Amino acid sequence: MGKIITLIGVCACAFLCQVQAQEQKTEGYQFTELKRMPATDVKSQDRSSTCWAWSGLSFFESEIARLGKDTVSLSPMYIVWHTYNEKADRYVRLHGEMNFSPGGAHYDVQWGIDRYGIVPMDVYTGLNYGEKVHAHGELNSLLRAYADIIVKNPNRKITTAWKDGYQGILRAYLGELPQTFTYKGKEYTPLSFAQMLGLNMADYIQLTSFSHHPYYTSFAIEVPDNWLNGNTYNLPLDEFIAVLDKAVDKGFTFAWAADLSEKGFTNGIAVVPTFDTKEMKDAEITKWVSLPQEDRQRQFIQQPCSEKKITQEMRQQAFDNYQTTDDHGMHIVGKAKDQNGTPYFIVKNSWGKYNKYDGYLYASYPYVAYKTISVMIHKDALSKELKRKLGIE
């Protein structure tokens, strides 16, 4: 998760839809919303691989609204600063034997708020390097190169100055961290602000569904971006999807970590067609935007198509053979149905208002069942019986 690349694929589902269109009038996807919870405006992570921070904070922004507080846009770069700072410590202590990249997991946001609090986005934009939008290529390269030099230990003893130098890079690019700030006429620290918002990080859990660990236990998902080794509760697939479906009915949103490599992930739609398509790799949103309009239209899924029935075995196999990886973090805020009555989750993305749904997309239940790495959700979205079974208080 955390790659700015978007995998839009050539959607072979269009072929099936053309066949269907011979028998019925082509209408395209027609969605009717069934439930949508409040969410802040769609924002753009731009040229930073920090989707985990943007989607995780989008989730907490909706949580603030659900808890009855005035909504506020929170600062992803405040969390990014702290995670990169901690990542360097661990990287050096492990002699460089750890994933060191801008990617992360939703658990990082939970960890960051719990330990360091949070600030509004306009208090800390993280734009301290002459750019109007987030562009982290230079920053990421510098931080990694610096950490690698420390690990090489050229003095044969790590000096006391290395961390000050590393933090100096963070301050130069992202800015000095605010110690206090004023919000609506009152002064806060980042920790007191988080407390005022009513966010208790102990109330939030991670859920997943994989068969290589026992169900109803927790484990650290084996993906590179889970560098904090956050634990996730493991459920059977049918129960996992049922929990997500019922959570939306009860008014809960959730942060969604998923893989985008399926060809059915197009410009605003995420489905798993009933037939396989040829492999396409490393398609970027910039490449997609540059396509002529007629080419884009050919790549759209033109009509609702039949989808694969996802089994626990299919899901596990895709994870084990690297077909499902931690590509991207998003925020699920509701559900809808198409003209055939097929249900979809409504997903808020962090690529700006880039498509005809103004930055949102519709993910089918089979897609979520197949391509989810994990979700972050409030524990009260679970039934009392399931919480007891998982040992959640």
Side-chain angles (χ1 to χ4, degrees):
M1 190 178 70
K3 302 170 185 172
I4 194 169
I5 63 171
T6 65
L7 301 173
I8 49 102
V10 174
C11 184
C13 187
F15 171 76
L16 177 61
C17 295
Q18 289 174 359
V19 175
Q20 294 172 336
Q22 294 175 1
E23 301 177 357
Q24 60 181 0
K25 181 180 178 181
T26 300
E27 298 173 341
Y29 276 86
Q30 305 294 321
F31 291 108
T32 301
E33 291 189 359
L34 303 174
K35 182 97 171 181
R36 183 193 281 257
M37 273 65 75
T40 55
D41 291 342
V42 171
K43 303 173 183 70
S44 179
Q45 67 190 67
D46 300 306
R47 290 154 54 200
S48 73
S49 299
T50 55
C51 61
W52 53 272
W54 294 84
S55 53
L57 286 177
S58 178
F59 164 68
F60 282 119
E61 289 161 3
S62 288
E63 279 294 284
I64 293 166
R66 188 183 65 82
L67 294 170
K69 301 280 187 175
D70 291 337
T71 189
V72 57
S73 291
L74 303 174
S75 170
M77 293 304 116
Y78 180 82
I79 299 296
V80 168
W81 198 105
H82 284 295
T83 56
Y84 246 147
N85 187 53
E86 178 71 18
K87 197 173 290 187
D89 277 339
R90 299 193 181 203
Y91 188 74
V92 171
R93 289 187 186 280
L94 292 171
H95 298 237
E97 298 297 325
M98 187 195 88
N99 184 48
F100 189 100
S101 74
H106 289 133
Y107 179 79
D108 300 7
V109 182
Q110 185 180 3
W111 169 89
I113 294 175
D114 185 55
R115 181 170 291 196
Y116 301 106
I118 192 62
V119 303
M121 184 180 291
D122 57 6
V123 169
Y124 193 74
T125 64
L127 292 168
N128 198 48
Y129 48 102
E131 298 287 347
K132 294 182 179 180
V133 299
H134 302 283
H136 285 186
E138 185 174 294
L139 171 62
N140 295 337
S141 297
L142 281 170
L143 292 176
R144 176 59 186 266
Y146 187 105
D148 282 339
I149 289 173
I150 301 305
V151 168
K152 289 178 182 177
N153 194 15
N155 279 4
R156 297 176 182 256
K157 178 183 177 181
I158 294 178
T159 72
T160 60
W162 84 266
K163 197 62 185 293
D164 287 340
Y166 181 88
Q167 291 177 346
I169 298 173
L170 287 172
R171 289 192 294 268
Y173 280 82
L174 302 183
E176 293 281 351
L177 290 173
Q179 302 303 309
T180 61
F181 58 94
T182 300
Y183 178 76
K184 293 187 176 181
K186 296 184 67 174
E187 187 173 89
Y188 295 94
T189 67
L191 284 169
S192 67
F193 186 68
Q195 185 177 22
M196 181 276 294
L197 295 174
L199 295 174
N200 179 5
M201 293 300 104
D203 290 337
Y204 297 96
I205 60 172
Q206 321 286 319
L207 298 175
T208 194
S209 178
F210 288 112
S211 59
H212 67 292
H213 287 276
Y215 299 127
Y216 309 110
T217 64
S218 64
F219 71 100
I221 297 180
E222 303 92 339
V223 292
D225 286 337
N226 188 20
W227 62 278
L228 279 171
N229 292 318
N231 280 333
T232 302
Y233 290 101
N234 197 29
L235 300 176
L237 182 56
D238 289 346
E239 189 170 0
F240 175 67
I241 295 301
V243 167
L244 302 185
D245 179 65
K246 292 175 183 176
V248 173
D249 289 340
K250 292 191 287 187
F252 290 92
T253 72
F254 50 93
W256 182 40
D259 179 282
L260 310 188
S261 62
E262 291 300 300
K263 310 315 169 294
F265 191 97
T266 70
N267 196 24
I269 306 295
V271 294
V272 188
T274 54
F275 48 87
D276 295 322
T277 58
K278 78 173 185 177
E279 175 67 20
M280 285 189 64
K281 185 181 179 183
D282 296 338
E284 301 180 15
I285 190 169
T286 52
K287 185 185 298 183
W288 167 256
V289 170
S290 69
L291 287 175
Q293 184 66 29
E294 60 182 8
D295 289 341
R296 295 188 220 171
Q297 290 173 347
R298 282 198 297 268
Q299 293 180 355
F300 286 164
I301 295 176
Q302 301 293 338
Q303 197 80 8
C305 302
S306 59
E307 296 189 60
K308 294 179 181 178
K309 178 175 174 54
I310 307 303
T311 65
Q312 190 83 62
E313 292 73 21
M314 290 170 61
R315 173 179 165 78
Q316 186 67 43
Q317 185 179 39
F319 181 73
D320 288 343
N321 65 20
Y322 296 0
Q323 287 180 306
T324 295
T325 61
D326 52 339
D327 275 346
H328 191 47
M330 293 162 280
H331 178 202
I332 290 182
V333 301
K335 63 183 182 180
K337 63 179 180 180
D338 66 18
Q339 60 265 47
N340 297 332
T342 304
Y344 298 75
F345 288 108
I346 303 172
V347 185
K348 179 186 174 187
N349 207 345
S350 57
W351 295 336
K353 297 182 178 181
Y354 70 101
N355 62 12
K356 65 179 180 179
Y357 302 118
D358 292 327
Y360 282 83
L361 59 102
Y362 294 87
S364 71
Y365 281 39
Y367 195 97
V368 172
Y370 192 28
K371 289 290 158 175
T372 296
I373 295 292
S374 64
V375 303
M376 179 168 65
I377 197 166
H378 195 285
K379 64 182 183 180
D380 287 348
L382 280 60
S383 68
K384 291 181 180 179
E385 179 183 0
L386 182 55
K387 284 196 285 188
R388 283 195 301 269
K389 198 168 187 178
L390 295 173
I392 297 172
E393 298 181 358

PDB file of all heavy atoms in Angstrom, residues 26-55:
ATOM      1  N   THR A  26     -27.321  -0.089 -24.238  1.00  0.00           N
ATOM      2  CA  THR A  26     -26.202   0.235 -23.374  1.00  0.00           C
ATOM      3  C   THR A  26     -26.560   1.439 -22.512  1.00  0.00           C
ATOM      4  O   THR A  26     -26.859   2.510 -23.022  1.00  0.00           O
ATOM      5  CB  THR A  26     -24.952   0.538 -24.210  1.00  0.00           C
ATOM      6  OG1 THR A  26     -24.622  -0.609 -24.984  1.00  0.00           O
ATOM      7  CG2 THR A  26     -23.786   0.917 -23.309  1.00  0.00           C
ATOM      8  N   GLU A  27     -26.509   1.237 -21.210  1.00  0.00           N
ATOM      9  CA  GLU A  27     -26.849   2.312 -20.288  1.00  0.00           C
ATOM     10  C   GLU A  27     -25.654   2.770 -19.480  1.00  0.00           C
ATOM     11  O   GLU A  27     -25.682   3.837 -18.899  1.00  0.00           O
ATOM     12  CB  GLU A  27     -27.933   1.818 -19.311  1.00  0.00           C
ATOM     13  CG  GLU A  27     -29.236   1.413 -19.984  1.00  0.00           C
ATOM     14  CD  GLU A  27     -30.206   0.785 -18.995  1.00  0.00           C
ATOM     15  OE1 GLU A  27     -29.749   0.347 -17.920  1.00  0.00           O
ATOM     16  OE2 GLU A  27     -31.397   0.755 -19.289  1.00  0.00           O
ATOM     17  N   GLY A  28     -24.607   1.966 -19.441  1.00  0.00           N
ATOM     18  CA  GLY A  28     -23.522   2.249 -18.529  1.00  0.00           C
ATOM     19  C   GLY A  28     -23.938   1.927 -17.110  1.00  0.00           C
ATOM     20  O   GLY A  28     -25.045   1.457 -16.850  1.00  0.00           O
ATOM     21  N   TYR A  29     -23.039   2.164 -16.184  1.00  0.00           N
ATOM     22  CA  TYR A  29     -23.352   1.902 -14.778  1.00  0.00           C
ATOM     23  C   TYR A  29     -24.295   2.977 -14.261  1.00  0.00           C
ATOM     24  O   TYR A  29     -24.058   4.176 -14.436  1.00  0.00           O
ATOM     25  CB  TYR A  29     -22.079   1.885 -13.942  1.00  0.00           C
ATOM     26  CG  TYR A  29     -21.368   0.558 -13.949  1.00  0.00           C
ATOM     27  CD1 TYR A  29     -20.466   0.239 -14.956  1.00  0.00           C
ATOM     28  CD2 TYR A  29     -21.593  -0.373 -12.955  1.00  0.00           C
ATOM     29  CE1 TYR A  29     -19.812  -0.979 -14.966  1.00  0.00           C
ATOM     30  CE2 TYR A  29     -20.945  -1.595 -12.947  1.00  0.00           C
ATOM     31  CZ  TYR A  29     -20.053  -1.890 -13.960  1.00  0.00           C
ATOM     32  OH  TYR A  29     -19.409  -3.102 -13.968  1.00  0.00           O
ATOM     33  N   GLN A  30     -25.348   2.544 -13.617  1.00  0.00           N
ATOM     34  CA  GLN A  30     -26.297   3.445 -12.976  1.00  0.00           C
ATOM     35  C   GLN A  30     -26.366   3.071 -11.496  1.00  0.00           C
ATOM     36  O   GLN A  30     -26.852   1.992 -11.152  1.00  0.00           O
ATOM     37  CB  GLN A  30     -27.685   3.316 -13.625  1.00  0.00           C
ATOM     38  CG  GLN A  30     -27.706   3.534 -15.131  1.00  0.00           C
ATOM     39  CD  GLN A  30     -27.341   4.966 -15.502  1.00  0.00           C
ATOM     40  OE1 GLN A  30     -27.742   5.914 -14.819  1.00  0.00           O
ATOM     41  NE2 GLN A  30     -26.604   5.122 -16.594  1.00  0.00           N
ATOM     42  N   PHE A  31     -25.864   3.940 -10.636  1.00  0.00           N
ATOM     43  CA  PHE A  31     -25.795   3.626  -9.216  1.00  0.00           C
ATOM     44  C   PHE A  31     -26.876   4.352  -8.424  1.00  0.00           C
ATOM     45  O   PHE A  31     -27.166   5.525  -8.680  1.00  0.00           O
ATOM     46  CB  PHE A  31     -24.425   4.000  -8.650  1.00  0.00           C
ATOM     47  CG  PHE A  31     -23.311   3.135  -9.148  1.00  0.00           C
ATOM     48  CD1 PHE A  31     -22.374   3.634 -10.044  1.00  0.00           C
ATOM     49  CD2 PHE A  31     -23.197   1.817  -8.723  1.00  0.00           C
ATOM     50  CE1 PHE A  31     -21.344   2.831 -10.506  1.00  0.00           C
ATOM     51  CE2 PHE A  31     -22.175   1.005  -9.187  1.00  0.00           C
ATOM     52  CZ  PHE A  31     -21.249   1.518 -10.087  1.00  0.00           C
ATOM     53  N   THR A  32     -27.427   3.626  -7.476  1.00  0.00           N
ATOM     54  CA  THR A  32     -28.349   4.204  -6.500  1.00  0.00           C
ATOM     55  C   THR A  32     -27.723   4.033  -5.125  1.00  0.00           C
ATOM     56  O   THR A  32     -27.404   2.912  -4.718  1.00  0.00           O
ATOM     57  CB  THR A  32     -29.714   3.489  -6.527  1.00  0.00           C
ATOM     58  OG1 THR A  32     -30.269   3.599  -7.843  1.00  0.00           O
ATOM     59  CG2 THR A  32     -30.661   4.098  -5.506  1.00  0.00           C
ATOM     60  N   GLU A  33     -27.515   5.135  -4.429  1.00  0.00           N
ATOM     61  CA  GLU A  33     -26.900   5.054  -3.113  1.00  0.00           C
ATOM     62  C   GLU A  33     -27.880   4.488  -2.095  1.00  0.00           C
ATOM     63  O   GLU A  33     -29.040   4.887  -2.044  1.00  0.00           O
ATOM     64  CB  GLU A  33     -26.407   6.427  -2.662  1.00  0.00           C
ATOM     65  CG  GLU A  33     -25.228   6.925  -3.474  1.00  0.00           C
ATOM     66  CD  GLU A  33     -24.601   8.178  -2.886  1.00  0.00           C
ATOM     67  OE1 GLU A  33     -25.104   8.684  -1.850  1.00  0.00           O
ATOM     68  OE2 GLU A  33     -23.606   8.657  -3.460  1.00  0.00           O
ATOM     69  N   LEU A  34     -27.395   3.553  -1.305  1.00  0.00           N
ATOM     70  CA  LEU A  34     -28.185   2.950  -0.242  1.00  0.00           C
ATOM     71  C   LEU A  34     -27.872   3.563   1.111  1.00  0.00           C
ATOM     72  O   LEU A  34     -28.758   3.683   1.963  1.00  0.00           O
ATOM     73  CB  LEU A  34     -27.927   1.439  -0.192  1.00  0.00           C
ATOM     74  CG  LEU A  34     -28.205   0.668  -1.484  1.00  0.00           C
ATOM     75  CD1 LEU A  34     -27.769  -0.780  -1.338  1.00  0.00           C
ATOM     76  CD2 LEU A  34     -29.685   0.755  -1.852  1.00  0.00           C
ATOM     77  N   LYS A  35     -26.611   3.934   1.300  1.00  0.00           N
ATOM     78  CA  LYS A  35     -26.173   4.514   2.564  1.00  0.00           C
ATOM     79  C   LYS A  35     -24.857   5.224   2.310  1.00  0.00           C
ATOM     80  O   LYS A  35     -23.962   4.680   1.669  1.00  0.00           O
ATOM     81  CB  LYS A  35     -25.965   3.412   3.613  1.00  0.00           C
ATOM     82  CG  LYS A  35     -25.555   3.913   4.994  1.00  0.00           C
ATOM     83  CD  LYS A  35     -26.758   4.022   5.909  1.00  0.00           C
ATOM     84  CE  LYS A  35     -26.336   4.316   7.328  1.00  0.00           C
ATOM     85  NZ  LYS A  35     -27.489   4.396   8.241  1.00  0.00           N
ATOM     86  N   ARG A  36     -24.751   6.453   2.789  1.00  0.00           N
ATOM     87  CA  ARG A  36     -23.491   7.194   2.683  1.00  0.00           C
ATOM     88  C   ARG A  36     -23.293   8.001   3.962  1.00  0.00           C
ATOM     89  O   ARG A  36     -24.168   8.755   4.366  1.00  0.00           O
ATOM     90  CB  ARG A  36     -23.462   8.118   1.473  1.00  0.00           C
ATOM     91  CG  ARG A  36     -22.116   8.851   1.313  1.00  0.00           C
ATOM     92  CD  ARG A  36     -22.205   9.987   0.308  1.00  0.00           C
ATOM     93  NE  ARG A  36     -22.141   9.528  -1.056  1.00  0.00           N
ATOM     94  CZ  ARG A  36     -21.054   9.616  -1.823  1.00  0.00           C
ATOM     95  NH1 ARG A  36     -19.939  10.119  -1.331  1.00  0.00           N
ATOM     96  NH2 ARG A  36     -21.084   9.208  -3.076  1.00  0.00           N
ATOM     97  N   MET A  37     -22.125   7.815   4.573  1.00  0.00           N
ATOM     98  CA  MET A  37     -21.804   8.552   5.787  1.00  0.00           C
ATOM     99  C   MET A  37     -21.036   9.830   5.451  1.00  0.00           C
ATOM    100  O   MET A  37     -20.456   9.954   4.373  1.00  0.00           O
ATOM    101  CB  MET A  37     -20.967   7.674   6.723  1.00  0.00           C
ATOM    102  CG  MET A  37     -21.786   6.799   7.649  1.00  0.00           C
ATOM    103  SD  MET A  37     -22.749   5.555   6.776  1.00  0.00           S
ATOM    104  CE  MET A  37     -21.473   4.388   6.340  1.00  0.00           C
ATOM    105  N   PRO A  38     -21.035  10.781   6.365  1.00  0.00           N
ATOM    106  CA  PRO A  38     -20.301  12.039   6.124  1.00  0.00           C
ATOM    107  C   PRO A  38     -18.816  11.790   5.919  1.00  0.00           C
ATOM    108  O   PRO A  38     -18.210  10.931   6.556  1.00  0.00           O
ATOM    109  CB  PRO A  38     -20.547  12.835   7.412  1.00  0.00           C
ATOM    110  CG  PRO A  38     -21.787  12.261   8.001  1.00  0.00           C
ATOM    111  CD  PRO A  38     -21.768  10.801   7.643  1.00  0.00           C
ATOM    112  N   ALA A  39     -18.241  12.564   5.014  1.00  0.00           N
ATOM    113  CA  ALA A  39     -16.804  12.502   4.747  1.00  0.00           C
ATOM    114  C   ALA A  39     -16.336  13.897   4.358  1.00  0.00           C
ATOM    115  O   ALA A  39     -17.111  14.683   3.803  1.00  0.00           O
ATOM    116  CB  ALA A  39     -16.487  11.504   3.639  1.00  0.00           C
ATOM    117  N   THR A  40     -15.096  14.204   4.649  1.00  0.00           N
ATOM    118  CA  THR A  40     -14.532  15.482   4.246  1.00  0.00           C
ATOM    119  C   THR A  40     -14.281  15.482   2.744  1.00  0.00           C
ATOM    120  O   THR A  40     -14.425  14.470   2.064  1.00  0.00           O
ATOM    121  CB  THR A  40     -13.223  15.752   5.005  1.00  0.00           C
ATOM    122  OG1 THR A  40     -12.334  14.644   4.800  1.00  0.00           O
ATOM    123  CG2 THR A  40     -13.489  15.927   6.495  1.00  0.00           C
ATOM    124  N   ASP A  41     -13.902  16.631   2.222  1.00  0.00           N
ATOM    125  CA  ASP A  41     -13.670  16.774   0.788  1.00  0.00           C
ATOM    126  C   ASP A  41     -12.593  15.814   0.298  1.00  0.00           C
ATOM    127  O   ASP A  41     -11.645  15.497   1.024  1.00  0.00           O
ATOM    128  CB  ASP A  41     -13.244  18.202   0.458  1.00  0.00           C
ATOM    129  CG  ASP A  41     -14.365  19.213   0.647  1.00  0.00           C
ATOM    130  OD1 ASP A  41     -15.537  18.793   0.701  1.00  0.00           O
ATOM    131  OD2 ASP A  41     -14.059  20.416   0.754  1.00  0.00           O
ATOM    132  N   VAL A  42     -12.738  15.372  -0.937  1.00  0.00           N
ATOM    133  CA  VAL A  42     -11.699  14.561  -1.576  1.00  0.00           C
ATOM    134  C   VAL A  42     -10.445  15.417  -1.751  1.00  0.00           C
ATOM    135  O   VAL A  42     -10.507  16.556  -2.207  1.00  0.00           O
ATOM    136  CB  VAL A  42     -12.177  14.044  -2.943  1.00  0.00           C
ATOM    137  CG1 VAL A  42     -11.026  13.387  -3.703  1.00  0.00           C
ATOM    138  CG2 VAL A  42     -13.325  13.062  -2.776  1.00  0.00           C
ATOM    139  N   LYS A  43      -9.320  14.855  -1.360  1.00  0.00           N
ATOM    140  CA  LYS A  43      -8.047  15.562  -1.466  1.00  0.00           C
ATOM    141  C   LYS A  43      -7.103  14.751  -2.341  1.00  0.00           C
ATOM    142  O   LYS A  43      -7.430  13.639  -2.749  1.00  0.00           O
ATOM    143  CB  LYS A  43      -7.457  15.780  -0.074  1.00  0.00           C
ATOM    144  CG  LYS A  43      -8.396  16.548   0.865  1.00  0.00           C
ATOM    145  CD  LYS A  43      -7.882  16.597   2.269  1.00  0.00           C
ATOM    146  CE  LYS A  43      -8.866  17.306   3.198  1.00  0.00           C
ATOM    147  NZ  LYS A  43     -10.093  16.507   3.413  1.00  0.00           N
ATOM    148  N   SER A  44      -5.921  15.294  -2.588  1.00  0.00           N
ATOM    149  CA  SER A  44      -4.959  14.614  -3.443  1.00  0.00           C
ATOM    150  C   SER A  44      -3.628  14.448  -2.731  1.00  0.00           C
ATOM    151  O   SER A  44      -3.062  15.409  -2.200  1.00  0.00           O
ATOM    152  CB  SER A  44      -4.739  15.388  -4.742  1.00  0.00           C
ATOM    153  OG  SER A  44      -3.786  14.719  -5.553  1.00  0.00           O
ATOM    154  N   GLN A  45      -3.133  13.219  -2.734  1.00  0.00           N
ATOM    155  CA  GLN A  45      -1.804  12.947  -2.204  1.00  0.00           C
ATOM    156  C   GLN A  45      -0.723  13.379  -3.171  1.00  0.00           C
ATOM    157  O   GLN A  45       0.461  13.407  -2.823  1.00  0.00           O
ATOM    158  CB  GLN A  45      -1.651  11.461  -1.903  1.00  0.00           C
ATOM    159  CG  GLN A  45      -1.662  10.593  -3.148  1.00  0.00           C
ATOM    160  CD  GLN A  45      -1.757   9.124  -2.841  1.00  0.00           C
ATOM    161  OE1 GLN A  45      -2.768   8.657  -2.348  1.00  0.00           O
ATOM    162  NE2 GLN A  45      -0.684   8.395  -3.127  1.00  0.00           N
ATOM    163  N   ASP A  46      -1.118  13.711  -4.395  1.00  0.00           N
ATOM    164  CA  ASP A  46      -0.221  14.184  -5.438  1.00  0.00           C
ATOM    165  C   ASP A  46       0.936  13.205  -5.653  1.00  0.00           C
ATOM    166  O   ASP A  46       0.709  12.006  -5.729  1.00  0.00           O
ATOM    167  CB  ASP A  46       0.273  15.600  -5.109  1.00  0.00           C
ATOM    168  CG  ASP A  46      -0.878  16.586  -4.994  1.00  0.00           C
ATOM    169  OD1 ASP A  46      -1.663  16.657  -5.937  1.00  0.00           O
ATOM    170  OD2 ASP A  46      -1.004  17.253  -3.943  1.00  0.00           O
ATOM    171  N   ARG A  47       2.164  13.698  -5.690  1.00  0.00           N
ATOM    172  CA  ARG A  47       3.309  12.836  -6.010  1.00  0.00           C
ATOM    173  C   ARG A  47       4.000  12.376  -4.725  1.00  0.00           C
ATOM    174  O   ARG A  47       5.215  12.489  -4.569  1.00  0.00           O
ATOM    175  CB  ARG A  47       4.267  13.574  -6.932  1.00  0.00           C
ATOM    176  CG  ARG A  47       3.687  13.772  -8.332  1.00  0.00           C
ATOM    177  CD  ARG A  47       4.277  14.965  -9.047  1.00  0.00           C
ATOM    178  NE  ARG A  47       5.741  14.900  -9.076  1.00  0.00           N
ATOM    179  CZ  ARG A  47       6.495  15.974  -9.277  1.00  0.00           C
ATOM    180  NH1 ARG A  47       5.938  17.153  -9.429  1.00  0.00           N
ATOM    181  NH2 ARG A  47       7.809  15.848  -9.307  1.00  0.00           N
ATOM    182  N   SER A  48       3.200  11.885  -3.814  1.00  0.00           N
ATOM    183  CA  SER A  48       3.737  11.283  -2.586  1.00  0.00           C
ATOM    184  C   SER A  48       3.119   9.907  -2.438  1.00  0.00           C
ATOM    185  O   SER A  48       1.960   9.705  -2.784  1.00  0.00           O
ATOM    186  CB  SER A  48       3.406  12.135  -1.360  1.00  0.00           C
ATOM    187  OG  SER A  48       2.033  12.039  -1.021  1.00  0.00           O
ATOM    188  N   SER A  49       3.872   8.990  -1.928  1.00  0.00           N
ATOM    189  CA  SER A  49       3.369   7.623  -1.760  1.00  0.00           C
ATOM    190  C   SER A  49       2.838   7.445  -0.345  1.00  0.00           C
ATOM    191  O   SER A  49       3.270   6.570   0.395  1.00  0.00           O
ATOM    192  CB  SER A  49       4.492   6.627  -2.066  1.00  0.00           C
ATOM    193  OG  SER A  49       4.934   6.771  -3.398  1.00  0.00           O
ATOM    194  N   THR A  50       1.898   8.278   0.020  1.00  0.00           N
ATOM    195  CA  THR A  50       1.413   8.331   1.396  1.00  0.00           C
ATOM    196  C   THR A  50      -0.096   8.127   1.483  1.00  0.00           C
ATOM    197  O   THR A  50      -0.760   8.689   2.339  1.00  0.00           O
ATOM    198  CB  THR A  50       1.793   9.679   2.037  1.00  0.00           C
ATOM    199  OG1 THR A  50       1.285  10.758   1.218  1.00  0.00           O
ATOM    200  CG2 THR A  50       3.300   9.822   2.169  1.00  0.00           C
ATOM    201  N   CYS A  51      -0.629   7.300   0.612  1.00  0.00           N
ATOM    202  CA  CYS A  51      -2.078   7.053   0.616  1.00  0.00           C
ATOM    203  C   CYS A  51      -2.554   6.534   1.966  1.00  0.00           C
ATOM    204  O   CYS A  51      -3.679   6.811   2.392  1.00  0.00           O
ATOM    205  CB  CYS A  51      -2.448   6.067  -0.478  1.00  0.00           C
ATOM    206  SG  CYS A  51      -1.650   4.461  -0.293  1.00  0.00           S
ATOM    207  N   TRP A  52      -1.717   5.754   2.639  1.00  0.00           N
ATOM    208  CA  TRP A  52      -2.074   5.206   3.947  1.00  0.00           C
ATOM    209  C   TRP A  52      -2.407   6.316   4.944  1.00  0.00           C
ATOM    210  O   TRP A  52      -3.314   6.170   5.773  1.00  0.00           O
ATOM    211  CB  TRP A  52      -0.930   4.337   4.470  1.00  0.00           C
ATOM    212  CG  TRP A  52       0.388   5.043   4.472  1.00  0.00           C
ATOM    213  CD1 TRP A  52       1.300   5.108   3.447  1.00  0.00           C
ATOM    214  CD2 TRP A  52       0.942   5.823   5.542  1.00  0.00           C
ATOM    215  NE1 TRP A  52       2.385   5.874   3.803  1.00  0.00           N
ATOM    216  CE2 TRP A  52       2.197   6.319   5.089  1.00  0.00           C
ATOM    217  CE3 TRP A  52       0.506   6.134   6.825  1.00  0.00           C
ATOM    218  CZ2 TRP A  52       3.003   7.129   5.884  1.00  0.00           C
ATOM    219  CZ3 TRP A  52       1.314   6.932   7.626  1.00  0.00           C
ATOM    220  CH2 TRP A  52       2.548   7.416   7.142  1.00  0.00           C
ATOM    221  N   ALA A  53      -1.672   7.432   4.874  1.00  0.00           N
ATOM    222  CA  ALA A  53      -1.915   8.547   5.783  1.00  0.00           C
ATOM    223  C   ALA A  53      -3.175   9.314   5.383  1.00  0.00           C
ATOM    224  O   ALA A  53      -3.999   9.682   6.236  1.00  0.00           O
ATOM    225  CB  ALA A  53      -0.715   9.482   5.812  1.00  0.00           C
ATOM    226  N   TRP A  54      -3.340   9.560   4.101  1.00  0.00           N
ATOM    227  CA  TRP A  54      -4.511  10.314   3.632  1.00  0.00           C
ATOM    228  C   TRP A  54      -5.807   9.538   3.877  1.00  0.00           C
ATOM    229  O   TRP A  54      -6.797  10.101   4.354  1.00  0.00           O
ATOM    230  CB  TRP A  54      -4.366  10.641   2.147  1.00  0.00           C
ATOM    231  CG  TRP A  54      -3.249  11.585   1.861  1.00  0.00           C
ATOM    232  CD1 TRP A  54      -1.933  11.272   1.689  1.00  0.00           C
ATOM    233  CD2 TRP A  54      -3.329  13.004   1.761  1.00  0.00           C
ATOM    234  NE1 TRP A  54      -1.187  12.405   1.471  1.00  0.00           N
ATOM    235  CE2 TRP A  54      -2.017  13.482   1.506  1.00  0.00           C
ATOM    236  CE3 TRP A  54      -4.379  13.911   1.828  1.00  0.00           C
ATOM    237  CZ2 TRP A  54      -1.740  14.839   1.339  1.00  0.00           C
ATOM    238  CZ3 TRP A  54      -4.100  15.273   1.661  1.00  0.00           C
ATOM    239  CH2 TRP A  54      -2.797  15.714   1.422  1.00  0.00           C
ATOM    240  N   SER A  55      -5.801   8.261   3.561  1.00  0.00           N
ATOM    241  CA  SER A  55      -7.030   7.476   3.741  1.00  0.00           C
ATOM    242  C   SER A  55      -7.292   7.195   5.217  1.00  0.00           C
ATOM    243  O   SER A  55      -8.444   7.203   5.669  1.00  0.00           O
ATOM    244  CB  SER A  55      -6.947   6.160   2.966  1.00  0.00           C
ATOM    245  OG  SER A  55      -5.769   5.434   3.298  1.00  0.00           O
TER     246      SER A  55
END
